[in-house]
């Protein structure tokens, strides 16, 4: 990536342009940059940013210039101006900080769908969150604990696991030193967990499958490890395992997603849930910011500040 100038985006008929204040670096931003060639060059990466509406298309009905919003698109957030389809933009309440708002849709929406809409988590069940110290992981820990589930999370150090207790974590597993499957069976008295939320991918998948009970559910969410594992045909059959892929981005335009995100913003506004900001960078430091997210194991989200913040 390089930092420079490109022509300003123009709002299409059903789109808005946001003067960006804060950009949240999402896991998909790194994954797509690593494994997916850009459709054109130059190409502006990035899913999500918050700011103020500066232009609206002729068929836009929900927003006007001056509104505070957080927007999603499949690329374009790493910029001072961000064009977003109207159905991928969400109003930010007046009492909610734009820096925090920038972290909401992808992380919290993905976590909620992984647990409930597609994961089927119920009160009294047990969930294992692999990679629980990241943005989606911390959101999932909070939602699951508040729903009355027992929450097991993995992270890379005892210090990070201890910090996660403040967010509702019941049992922590250090994936660098512990045998995940053995610890899960110890915690669950040999039963296994009802649901796995896999945010890491990679070689740890085998231990997560071993951690599931029969007929358990496995939500494939991310691949922060950089490696993309696969499921074998008989692997699914032997445990009668239910595997589901999660892509909240495919649903973010729907009325359901809009209602969900509006409710989550109010929960964050009143302090019911939150997202820690591990570190801030300036937009011009995007290369360093991506490197830090990839190698620094941030706790929560890393954000970039644009000129209009």
């Amino acid at each position: 990536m390089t930092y420079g100038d490109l022509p300003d985006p123009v709002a299409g008929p059903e789109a808005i342009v946001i003067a960006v204040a804060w950009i949240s670096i999402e896991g998909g931003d790194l994954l797509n940059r690593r494994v997916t060639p850009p459709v054109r060059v130059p190409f502006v990466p990035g899913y999500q940013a918050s700011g103020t509406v500066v232009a609206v298309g002729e068929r836009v009905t929900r927003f006007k210039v001056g509104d505070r919003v957080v927007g999603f698109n499949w690329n374009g957030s790493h910029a001072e101006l961000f064009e977003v389809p109207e159905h991928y933009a969400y109003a930010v309440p007046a009492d909610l900080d734009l820096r925090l708002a920038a972290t909401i849709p992808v992380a919290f929406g993905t976590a909620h769908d992984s647990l409930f809409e597609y994961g089927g988590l119920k009160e009294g069940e047990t969930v294992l969150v692999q990679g629980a110290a990241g943005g989606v992981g911390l959101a999932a820990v909070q939602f699951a604990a508040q729903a009355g589930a027992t929450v097991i999370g993995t992270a890379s150090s005892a210090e990070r696991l201890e910090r996660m207790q403040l967010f509702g974590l019941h049992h922590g597993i250090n994936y660098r030193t512990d045998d995940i499957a053995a610890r899960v069976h110890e915690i669950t008295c040999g039963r296994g967990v009802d649901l796995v939320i896999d945010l890491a991918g990679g070689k740890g998948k085998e231990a997560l499958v071993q951690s599931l009970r029969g007929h358990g559910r496995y939500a494939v969410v991310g691949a922060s490890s950089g490696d993309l594992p696969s499921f074998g045909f008989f692997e699914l059959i032997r445990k009668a395992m239910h595997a589901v892929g999660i892509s909240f981005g495919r649903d973010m335009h729907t009325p359901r997603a809009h209602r969900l995100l509006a409710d989550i913003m109010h929960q964050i506004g009143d302090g019911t849930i939150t997202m820690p900001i591990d570190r801030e960078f300036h937009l011009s430091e995007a290369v360093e910011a991506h490197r830090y997210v990839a190698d620094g194991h941030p706790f929560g989200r890393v954000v970039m500040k644009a000129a209009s913040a």
Side-chain angles (χ1 to χ4, degrees), residues 129-133 153-158 160-161 164 172-176:
V129 183
Q130 170 79 322
T154 73
S156 60
S157 70
R160 292 160 75 82
L161 292 168
M164 280 191 284
I173 298 175
N174 185 332
Y175 64 75
R176 288 182 170 171

Side-chain angles (χ1 to χ4, degrees), residues 112-128:
H112 201 278
D113 267 14
S114 302
L115 292 167
F116 306 113
E117 186 72 14
Y118 300 106
L121 186 68
K122 299 177 180 63
E123 183 179 2
E125 290 192 321
T126 301
V127 58
L128 170 61

Side-chain angles (χ1 to χ4, degrees), residues 44 53 162:
V44 180
V53 177
E162 184 177 355

Side-chain angles (χ1 to χ4, degrees), residues 143 146 260 262-274:
F143 283 142
Q146 291 176 11
L260 172 62
D263 180 61
I264 289 171
M265 287 198 200
H266 286 296
Q267 290 184 61
I268 290 180
D270 67 19
T272 304
I273 53 178
T274 192

